Amino acid sequence: MFNGLSICSSVIFMDSSEIPLCHPPLSLPFEVRRIWYFIALIFNVITIVSYLVGFTVIHCKYKNPYCTVQIENVEIERKAMKSFPVIIIFFLYSQFVSTFLANFIFFNYAGYSKELIERAQAFMIFPAMACYSSTFYVCFVRSCEYRRIFWSQMVKIFESFVIILRYRGYLVEHCHFVSHTCFRLLSLYIFTNCVQMGIMAAISTDMLISIAFPFRHRSWRRTPYLTSLVLPGIIYGATVLIIGLVSADTEEIKLCQPPSSLPFQVRKVW
């Protein structure tokens, strides 16, 4: 509802006024932005209250064995206790403060020009942006389990990035692949890619026939008709695969991808 209200109101009241910085709140019309910031403040208050209540419940379970609340998943909640206060504080001093200040400026802007209000709001987006990724940094610092998982993911991303740089020749002066080796590695993908293109053409052809000749289309037998649609793609994929294996050469290519892995003449036909 909040999303629909914001979008519809912005479309209706949109103007061509200049703004100092292009970001979501500032792109809304001035009057719509006032409502947007107020509703966002309500949601932020609910978020803060929910965090505090959740923290209190977990604290009660963990610290007080005689608490009336049933103790479940104590170990998981104990670990969550390490990150909860930091996340609350970070959210409070970033997203909540920026939204609160934006509302304060809006509803107490007597004597301030519209340009000054927009310029002040333009820079309030930065603490909110920091809040969007804060959970990652908090969990990375406070939780050994998350830190181990995040670190393994970052290592994989870094390795992939290094491979891409090598492929593009940024890390090494020359990096080439042999055509037939690359073709063997990608042969299954090449076959399925050819079949996929054939099936896409078959689906569009079937749609055309059903529109142009609806009665005849319904009268055809399903199995032979579907076979005639799917078979060309399979024949296409098998033909490319066989010719590629037979005529594979030792040509060096700069990037191992399906078209480049095919011999030059086969690539033209492909």
Side-chain angles (χ1 to χ4, degrees), residues 90-158:
F90 204 97
F91 180 83
L92 185 65
Y93 284 99
S94 56
Q95 177 80 7
F96 183 79
V97 168
S98 61
T99 308
F100 177 79
L101 289 177
N103 279 275
F104 180 80
I105 293 173
F106 256 131
F107 292 100
N108 297 273
Y109 66 91
Y112 296 105
S113 64
K114 180 180 176 181
E115 291 75 17
L116 182 62
I117 294 173
E118 289 186 341
R119 188 165 295 278
Q121 289 175 343
F123 295 99
M124 290 180 185
I125 192 66
F126 294 109
M129 290 172 65
C131 179
Y132 298 154
S133 58
S134 63
T135 304
F136 166 78
Y137 297 106
V138 172
C139 292
F140 188 89
V141 173
R142 304 283 291 180
S143 171
C144 60
E145 293 181 5
Y146 275 106
R147 185 161 55 248
R148 185 176 66 254
I149 296 171
F150 287 149
W151 185 251
S152 65
Q153 291 177 343
M154 287 189 289
V155 168
K156 290 178 181 178
I157 293 172
F158 179 75

Side-chain angles (χ1 to χ4, degrees), residues 9-20:
S9 303
S10 300
V11 171
I12 294 171
F13 297 104
M14 184 56 64
D15 53 26
S16 56
S17 58
E18 293 185 353
I19 54 177

Side-chain angles (χ1 to χ4, degrees), residues 26-46:
L26 210 58
S27 66
L28 300 173
F30 189 77
E31 293 302 323
V32 178
R33 202 183 317 149
R34 295 181 63 179
I35 302 172
W36 187 91
Y37 269 119
F38 182 72
I39 298 176
L41 180 63
I42 294 174
F43 283 153
N44 285 342
V45 170
I46 293 172

Side-chain angles (χ1 to χ4, degrees), residues 24-251:
L26 210 58
S27 66
L28 300 173
F30 189 77
E31 293 302 323
V32 178
R33 202 183 317 149
R34 295 181 63 179
I35 302 172
W36 187 91
Y37 269 119
F38 182 72
I39 298 176
L41 180 63
I42 294 174
F43 283 153
N44 285 342
V45 170
I46 293 172
T47 304
I48 289 290
V49 172
S50 300
Y51 267 136
L52 292 175
V53 172
F55 177 79
T56 304
V57 170
I58 294 177
H59 182 80
C60 177
K61 286 183 180 182
Y62 177 59
K63 294 293 184 181
N64 185 4
Y66 301 104
C67 181
T68 56
V69 182
Q70 185 179 1
I71 299 176
E72 298 176 353
N73 301 323
V74 175
E75 184 63 21
I76 297 174
E77 293 170 348
R78 184 186 63 80
K79 294 178 180 178
M81 285 278 289
K82 297 180 179 179
S83 303
F84 242 145
V86 182
I87 292 175
I88 294 172
I89 293 171
F90 204 97
F91 180 83
L92 185 65
Y93 284 99
S94 56
Q95 177 80 7
F96 183 79
V97 168
S98 61
T99 308
F100 177 79
L101 289 177
N103 279 275
F104 180 80
I105 293 173
F106 256 131
F107 292 100
N108 297 273
Y109 66 91
Y112 296 105
S113 64
K114 180 180 176 181
E115 291 75 17
L116 182 62
I117 294 173
E118 289 186 341
R119 188 165 295 278
Q121 289 175 343
F123 295 99
M124 290 180 185
I125 192 66
F126 294 109
M129 290 172 65
C131 179
Y132 298 154
S133 58
S134 63
T135 304
F136 166 78
Y137 297 106
V138 172
C139 292
F140 188 89
V141 173
R142 304 283 291 180
S143 171
C144 60
E145 293 181 5
Y146 275 106
R147 185 161 55 248
R148 185 176 66 254
I149 296 171
F150 287 149
W151 185 251
S152 65
Q153 291 177 343
M154 287 189 289
V155 168
K156 290 178 181 178
I157 293 172
F158 179 75
E159 289 174 351
S160 302
F161 183 65
V162 170
I163 291 172
I164 291 171
L165 291 179
R166 284 177 176 170
Y167 282 173
R168 295 185 178 182
Y170 294 129
L171 297 185
V172 291
E173 187 175 354
H174 300 289
C175 184
H176 299 288
F177 299 90
V178 180
S179 177
H180 66 82
T181 305
C182 180
F183 179 79
R184 289 169 184 168
L185 289 171
L186 300 177
S187 56
L188 182 61
Y189 175 76
I190 292 171
F191 175 75
T192 54
N193 185 255
C194 293
V195 173
Q196 179 188 5
M197 287 190 285
I199 291 176
M200 289 291 291
I203 291 172
S204 59
T205 305
D206 175 64
M207 182 181 67
L208 175 62
I209 295 172
S210 65
I211 294 172
F213 310 102
F215 297 106
R216 188 179 298 177
H217 181 264
R218 292 173 191 169
S219 64
W220 287 338
R221 295 176 60 185
R222 293 288 92 185
T223 304
Y225 175 62
L226 291 175
T227 304
S228 66
L229 289 177
V230 175
L231 202 58
I234 297 175
I235 294 173
Y236 173 44
T239 304
V240 170
L241 203 63
I242 293 169
I243 297 175
L245 288 171
V246 171
S247 58
D249 52 27
T250 57
E251 177 190 1

Side-chain angles (χ1 to χ4, degrees), residues 179 183 243-244 247-249 251 261-268:
S179 177
F183 179 79
I243 297 175
S247 58
D249 52 27
E251 177 190 1
S261 64
L262 299 171
F264 186 74
Q265 295 301 324
V266 180
R267 200 182 314 160
K268 291 174 67 176

